[in-house]
Amino acid sequence: MTASPPLLGRGAIARLGLAQLIGWGISFYLPGALGEAIVSAQGWSRSQVYGGLSAALCCMALLSPLLSPLAGEWIDRYGGRRVMSAGACCNALGCLVIAGSTHIPVYYLGWLVLGVGMRLMLYDALSTSLAQGARGQVLEVMARVTLWGGLASTVFWPLGQGLLQVLGWRGALCVYALFALACLPLLRSVPGEGVPPSQRGSIEGPEPRNPVWLVSLLFTSITMLTSFLSAGLSAHLPGLLDELGGAAGWSVGVAALWGFGQLCARFVDMLYGARLPILLHSLLAAACLPVSLAIGWLGGAQAWLAALFVFGYGAANGLAAIVRAGLPLVLFGAQGYGARVGRLLLPSYVLSAIAPLACAEARERLGARPTLGISVGIGVAIVAAALILFLVARSGVRHSADRSLET
């Protein structure tokens, strides 16, 4: 048996967290800050502009049969540092292409490049790198790293608005590209140098528990639906708050509570999360979703309830990111983590790709409140899947314990 690699130091965690904050802010949260300005300046429809994020996520989905498992295998083989650095360069290039676009095809090309960068740099790539280089402390390290990443919307929505006022949307995107390149020295703290193919079978971890197909289906369903909500609502949250009428011109400020909610949830998880099993983490994160969404659906016209909705959903989203990183280790073990998780996440990329465009269509055809009502229904489905996974996986733990006693 080999000992788990040592826990990353505070400085390394801070650098990785800052890199995630920047990576999320300049890509996933870009439409929330600059989307409406691009609509006004270019005369393109809202669906066309917000469809850019859909294009990025669609790129991840379409390339995922190759890119997603391959990214995991690259990290397994070469280490996360090189792969994530390549992702940061793709993010910089994507921002520059979008900044220079005057026609929709070029605009979407920039988003496609961003899609590759997002897959190679954000949480999924980081958690795979940690599973290789900081095995045994994945949950603790991810909880600390995501404290920083959870502030991406809180920092970059107001920052994007400020850059917009001074430089315009094209200038803001050029600054975003510089932020992406600033991630390169930060990513030197990514652990792990890769595992040679001959040694991959020796990676320790619990053996997958039966029924693997059912556990895989439930895990995939949870990540798929959670990603759909996150991608759709994050791209449109300031606009949704405006349409609900409760933000009174402060929609960007209220929407920034999303990141603050993520930060608070992850801070509490960092302090007390080790006392809860990861399966209970998953159930708790899922239960927060429909509750917070229902607050926005029923009471979002009142500013304080809109703020409570955004904060609560941000908290649920913050917990979900930690669960997404650590749950596969418990369910399937560490052996072949990168490639396995890459395959399981394929459907989540597909639904994430659809989400911003679907949310834009729902806003235009139905309005903000019915859109949130649909989101509540999706949240309830996530809770049901998480509850079944909790019961099935707990039964698997008992079965494994019984078998070990028999032998």
Side-chain angles (χ1 to χ4, degrees), residues 238-304:
L240 284 170
L241 293 173
D242 273 339
E243 291 178 22
L244 288 173
W250 295 91
S251 57
V252 173
V254 173
L257 289 173
W258 168 297
F260 187 64
Q262 292 189 90
L263 176 68
C264 290
R266 289 166 179 170
F267 183 73
V268 171
D269 185 85
M270 184 181 70
L271 295 178
Y272 304 107
R275 303 178 185 179
L276 295 176
I278 185 61
L279 288 168
L280 199 54
H281 266 75
S282 175
L283 192 57
L284 177 62
C288 292
L289 286 172
V291 174
S292 57
L293 290 167
I295 292 173
W297 176 41
L298 299 174
Q302 301 181 51
W304 72 276

Side-chain angles (χ1 to χ4, degrees), residues 201-270:
S202 64
I203 297 176
E204 296 178 12
E207 292 296 324
R209 301 184 181 103
N210 292 321
V212 174
W213 69 269
L214 179 57
V215 171
S216 298
L217 176 63
L218 291 169
F219 172 78
T220 300
S221 299
I222 293 169
T223 56
M224 204 169 47
L225 296 176
T226 303
S227 297
F228 180 83
L229 286 179
S230 180
L233 292 180
S234 68
H236 292 272
L237 191 56
L240 284 170
L241 293 173
D242 273 339
E243 291 178 22
L244 288 173
W250 295 91
S251 57
V252 173
V254 173
L257 289 173
W258 168 297
F260 187 64
Q262 292 189 90
L263 176 68
C264 290
R266 289 166 179 170
F267 183 73
V268 171
D269 185 85
M270 184 181 70

Side-chain angles (χ1 to χ4, degrees), residues 138-198:
V138 173
L139 284 179
E140 185 176 352
V141 174
M142 280 298 292
R144 298 187 180 201
V145 167
T146 55
L147 279 175
W148 293 76
L151 288 172
S153 60
T154 301
V155 172
F156 273 87
W157 278 339
L159 177 60
Q161 289 287 310
L163 292 172
L164 186 63
Q165 298 301 319
V166 176
L167 302 174
W169 68 271
R170 296 185 190 277
L173 280 164
C174 290
V175 175
Y176 276 20
L178 293 177
F179 276 122
L181 295 177
C183 291
L184 292 175
L186 301 175
L187 292 173
R188 292 179 63 85
S189 296
V190 175
E193 294 294 340
V195 180
S198 60

Side-chain angles (χ1 to χ4, degrees), residues 6 27 51 89-90 98 142 206 209-210 253 309 319 323 329:
S27 59
C89 293
C90 288
I98 295 172
M142 280 298 292
R209 301 184 181 103
N210 292 321
F309 146 59
L319 291 176
V323 168
L329 279 174

Side-chain angles (χ1 to χ4, degrees), residues 346-366:
L346 301 187
S348 72
Y349 295 134
V350 174
L351 250 66
S352 294
I354 298 170
L357 185 58
C359 192
E361 290 294 322
R363 282 179 62 190
E364 291 185 357
R365 295 176 183 272
L366 304 175

Side-chain angles (χ1 to χ4, degrees), residues 69-136:
L70 188 57
E73 291 175 6
W74 283 344
I75 292 172
D76 287 342
R77 177 176 295 187
Y78 302 113
R81 188 176 306 149
R82 297 176 183 175
V83 174
M84 295 180 69
S85 295
C89 293
C90 288
N91 285 339
L93 178 60
C95 287
L96 290 175
V97 173
I98 295 172
S101 64
T102 55
H103 299 89
I104 284 290
V106 179
Y107 175 78
Y108 273 72
L109 175 62
W111 275 106
L112 293 177
V113 176
L114 269 179
V116 176
M118 291 164 65
R119 177 60 187 94
L120 296 180
M121 182 186 165
L122 298 182
Y123 286 153
D124 292 330
L126 178 60
S127 62
T128 302
S129 301
L130 292 175
Q132 179 206 93
R135 193 167 57 255

